[in-house]
Amino acid sequence: MKKITLPLSLILCMIIGMMESCETTSSSGSQPRFLIQENNKYGYMNERGETVIAARFAAAQPFSEGLAAVREEGLYGYIDESGRPVIASKFDYALPFSEGLAFAYIGDIGQYIDRSGNTIIAGFSEGDAFLNGKAIVGSRLKRYGLIDRTGKLLVDTIYQNLILLKDGLLLKYKGEDSPWELTDSMGHPHPVMEEIVHLQPPSDGYMIAELKTPDSKHNNALLLDSSAKEIFRYNSSNLMPERLSDGKIILSHPDSIGPNSGFLFDLHNKQILLRGIGHSPTGFSSNRTFMEVNDKIVLVKGNGDTIPSSFNNYKHSGFQYGYAFVESGNKYGMIDTTGKYIIAPQYEDILEYQQTAQYFFFSQQDKSGKDKIGMADRTGKTIIPPSLDAIAGQGFVDGLLCCYKDSLLSYIDQQGKLVWQEKRPSPLAPVNVDYQLRGYCLVEEDTTGKMRFYEEATAHYPLPQPIKDRGQYAANALQIKVDAAVIPFEKDYKGFKVQIINNTDSTIQFDAQDYRLAMNMQAYVNNSWQNLEHLPNSWCGNSYWQIPLSAGKYWELACPAYEGSLKVRLRFSLRYAKGRDMQGEVFSNEFDGSINPGQLWRKGRHYATNIMDPY
């Protein structure tokens, strides 16, 4: 839908990238090394918060196998744990080492290199980390295969999707409605494929497949575990599996009416344990799970017995380390396997997946309405008060928690002590990146004459403004004008003004995804203009529409001032609706700037937060 859009700002991009690096910050060398950031440069510290490699890099990866990929100017090289360069800076982008090899790019051409920087395997556009001597690789056509350490193709790059399972098994999907195939690591069909069709990829730890021919008991489907071992056969006309956990499965009748048509079935003893079950997003852990039984939330034992409850909600992660979090009176508390409260309901929310046997993270809003994260132990004692903006997904690594506190990168130990925090960065830092930003040119249509609720709902992006002196612009023209004077971009970064000016006598329509214009900054490289940014895609068809700009009006945007190793000429390109099923394109004035090589081809990673967040 048009009104809900989540543009990913540059600041958020950098926070996500930094937090991802923190998640794998532990090195396999002699000493742990943690990424730090000072004045938009990256370096490394030890577990005591002492800087061991000065923050001099424009970009940096975590250490892996004693080496880390870093970018000091425009290209990546590798350093050792003392900060000494060991592989020259010659890559547009580089990834961590695994099993002695790392995937790195020169231009958009990828290759596996050894610890001396020598090319060992070439010819692929994408390459995953090696695991047990094998790695998934991709071609320019986004087709995937499997190689060994010599680069030999064990499975050709013809698959749209490739999934490594246990015991070296592979799930392969060619696309275009072809069936999933199950093979060994050499690509040979698994014996189970002789009797099944329509295999589905794993979900909840099992796979569903259809039998080519029903068996003597009229079963036409079966469940397999991730090692392709048969778990359970059933007739899909009568039963539908919903969740498998700890040898128990929820089954329902496809034609049954109502939310309580399921039953809990014990696969080992082949008996029904509990009836009247609704949806259950949690599996068994500590021999307990939560279920909706006859429209009430209850605690269910492994034998099917129920424990009545008074809570009205629960965390879908279920029991971890013998405890679970449940909601009562709009607050969360912690219960044990008997349903007894160990910590009374007092938390606004619980972070589900950073728990350990000793502690958990919770969140609550501060006075300004912002969510802040804190940490407590399993007795409910607060160790870190709710003061953190974000934490790394893995929680504590090598004894330290990578987080953002007061909008600054920080590390905190398990006693809640602040070990290190970056200094407040200088204002308006240049945008020094090695990937393409996602389209950031977001605008709104004129709300004149609209209802008030519409104005409030859309008051986020620049609105059209009237041109004060139409004589200063090209007559009867659509124009993009770049003003090189420095202004803030995303509050903390250097930017400049860009105006989109309709000096014609007619309204002009612009194709848009949500409120994002089809507008890109371009660089003149190798005798051609190349995009430095990319436009994301949305899965929601309602995201695509047109935004009008009335005659005699303009939009004014803030755009990033890039800094890099390549001096180039820059301009903006903007598409607009020229007529019925026709598009026009207009370009800005050219201006000088600098970029990094990776901006010409590499798209930064992005994790959509919901279906409305473009991909």
Side-chain angles (χ1 to χ4, degrees), residues 332-584:
Y332 280 93
M334 187 174 74
I335 62 170
D336 62 16
T337 55
T338 69
K340 177 184 176 182
Y341 277 106
I342 303 300
I343 303 175
Q346 57 187 281
Y347 303 108
E348 292 181 7
D349 203 1
I350 300 292
L351 278 65
E352 298 191 62
Y353 301 108
Q354 288 89 356
Q355 299 180 37
T356 74
Q358 291 78 38
Y359 61 80
F360 62 92
F361 293 96
F362 62 91
S363 71
Q364 70 180 45
Q365 290 188 346
D366 62 13
K367 294 180 180 180
S368 66
K370 294 181 179 179
D371 288 332
K372 296 291 184 179
I373 299 170
M375 187 179 84
D377 67 18
R378 290 286 177 172
T379 69
K381 178 184 177 181
T382 297
I383 299 173
I384 302 174
S387 56
L388 309 180
D389 304 312
I391 65 173
Q394 278 189 333
F396 283 90
V397 176
D398 288 331
L400 296 183
L401 174 69
C402 179
C403 60
Y404 271 81
K405 178 179 172 62
D406 302 323
S407 300
L408 298 172
L409 182 69
S410 308
Y411 285 93
I412 293 176
D413 67 18
Q414 293 181 349
Q415 288 71 49
K417 178 184 175 183
L418 184 66
V419 174
W420 178 91
Q421 187 173 53
E422 69 171 312
K423 298 179 178 64
R424 187 71 59 182
S426 302
L428 300 188
V431 181
N432 191 317
V433 294
D434 47 56
Y435 56 88
Q436 296 183 343
L437 294 190
R438 302 163 77 246
Y440 49 79
C441 296
L442 297 111
V443 299
E444 295 185 12
E445 62 182 290
D446 199 336
T447 59
T448 303
K450 305 285 185 181
M451 289 182 287
R452 179 168 176 78
F453 79 86
Y454 180 90
E455 295 179 8
E456 292 176 348
T458 60
H460 303 297
Y461 310 125
L463 286 164
Q465 302 295 323
I467 300 173
K468 294 181 179 179
D469 181 7
R470 299 186 66 169
Q472 64 177 313
Y473 302 113
N476 197 33
L478 173 63
Q479 185 179 358
I480 306 175
K481 182 180 178 182
V482 174
D483 184 341
V486 175
I487 63 169
F489 172 71
E490 299 287 358
K491 297 182 180 179
D492 296 319
Y493 295 88
K494 286 183 179 179
F496 49 83
K497 287 191 296 187
V498 176
Q499 294 179 333
I500 303 169
I501 304 153
N502 181 6
N503 202 26
T504 73
D505 296 326
S506 303
T507 295
I508 298 177
Q509 299 284 345
F510 295 87
D511 291 330
Q513 176 262 302
D514 293 309
Y515 290 90
R516 183 180 283 100
L517 296 176
M519 185 166 169
N520 267 312
M521 196 186 304
Q522 298 178 328
Y524 194 72
V525 179
N526 296 328
N527 298 317
S528 66
W529 287 99
Q530 301 184 40
N531 287 338
L532 299 177
E533 295 139 359
H534 71 101
L535 301 175
N537 296 317
S538 173
W539 287 358
C540 178
N542 290 336
S543 290
Y544 294 93
W545 55 307
Q546 289 187 332
I547 300 179
L549 180 60
S550 301
K553 291 194 173 184
Y554 70 96
W555 285 304
E556 185 170 284
L557 307 172
C559 296
Y562 291 124
E563 175 188 76
S565 61
L566 299 178
K567 304 296 184 183
V568 291
R569 292 289 287 169
L570 300 169
R571 73 178 185 185
F572 282 93
S573 164
L574 172 64
R575 297 197 306 269
Y576 64 97
K578 195 172 184 179
R580 185 176 179 85
D581 299 325
M582 294 178 61
Q583 279 194 332

Side-chain angles (χ1 to χ4, degrees), residues 15-244:
I15 287 177
I16 289 176
M18 193 67 196
M19 299 301 269
E20 284 179 348
S21 298
C22 291
E23 289 182 10
T24 52
T25 196
S26 177
S27 87
S28 58
S30 57
Q31 297 291 331
R33 293 289 182 260
F34 301 85
L35 271 169
I36 59 174
Q37 181 179 4
E38 292 288 3
N39 286 320
N40 297 288
K41 297 288 186 180
Y42 298 90
Y44 299 86
M45 71 174 196
N46 61 21
E47 69 274 17
R48 296 182 296 277
E50 300 165 343
T51 298
V52 292
I53 301 175
R56 66 179 189 268
F57 305 108
Q61 297 273 6
F63 273 92
S64 177
E65 299 184 359
L67 299 179
V70 295
R71 179 173 65 81
E72 197 160 1
E73 297 295 337
L75 298 173
Y76 279 83
Y78 288 83
I79 59 172
D80 64 18
E81 291 182 345
S82 70
R84 180 178 64 89
V86 293
I87 299 177
S89 298
K90 59 182 179 180
F91 304 107
D92 283 30
Y93 186 59
L95 295 168
F97 274 85
S98 64
E99 299 185 3
L101 298 175
F103 200 75
Y105 292 87
I106 295 179
D108 60 352
I109 300 172
Q111 60 234 281
Y112 284 97
I113 61 172
D114 64 15
R115 295 174 62 87
S116 297
N118 301 315
T119 299
I120 303 302
I121 303 170
F124 302 105
S125 292
E126 298 179 53
D128 285 354
F130 270 89
L131 180 64
N132 298 324
K134 300 179 181 66
I136 293 176
V137 293
S139 69
R140 286 183 178 273
L141 298 177
K142 300 291 184 182
R143 297 288 170 167
Y144 299 93
L146 188 73
I147 62 171
D148 63 16
R149 285 183 54 84
T150 69
K152 178 184 176 181
L153 272 172
L154 306 177
V155 176
D156 200 1
T157 52
I158 59 175
Y159 294 94
Q160 183 175 312
N161 202 345
L162 204 62
I163 301 173
L164 274 169
L165 302 177
K166 291 182 180 178
D167 304 322
L169 297 180
L170 279 171
L171 266 178
K172 305 183 297 188
Y173 177 66
K174 288 184 178 179
E176 299 175 357
D177 298 324
S178 63
W180 283 87
E181 305 170 40
L182 182 65
T183 72
D184 62 22
S185 61
M186 301 301 293
H188 303 134
H190 190 279
V192 76
M193 293 300 298
E194 295 180 4
E195 58 176 338
I196 66 171
V197 291
H198 304 306
L199 178 67
Q200 298 180 19
S203 176
D204 291 329
Y206 64 89
M207 300 177 283
I208 294 176
E210 180 182 330
L211 289 167
K212 291 180 179 178
T213 305
D215 64 16
S216 59
K217 296 181 179 181
H218 307 292
N219 296 314
N220 64 350
L222 74 161
L223 274 75
L224 304 170
D225 65 17
S226 56
S227 63
K229 180 182 178 181
E230 184 176 316
I231 300 172
F232 176 62
R233 291 193 177 202
Y234 62 98
N235 188 311
S236 61
S237 299
N238 301 326
L239 297 176
M240 180 182 299
E242 291 190 6
R243 189 172 182 91
L244 174 67

Side-chain angles (χ1 to χ4, degrees), residues 243-284:
R243 189 172 182 91
L244 174 67
S245 176
D246 196 29
K248 304 171 187 67
I249 191 168
I250 298 174
L251 300 170
S252 62
H253 296 282
D255 297 329
S256 298
I257 299 175
N260 304 307
S261 61
F263 57 92
L264 182 64
F265 189 79
D266 189 316
L267 293 169
H268 300 304
N269 299 322
K270 309 297 184 193
Q271 64 179 359
I272 295 175
L273 300 177
L274 184 64
R275 296 182 184 272
I277 295 173
H279 178 62
S280 176
T282 69
F284 274 91

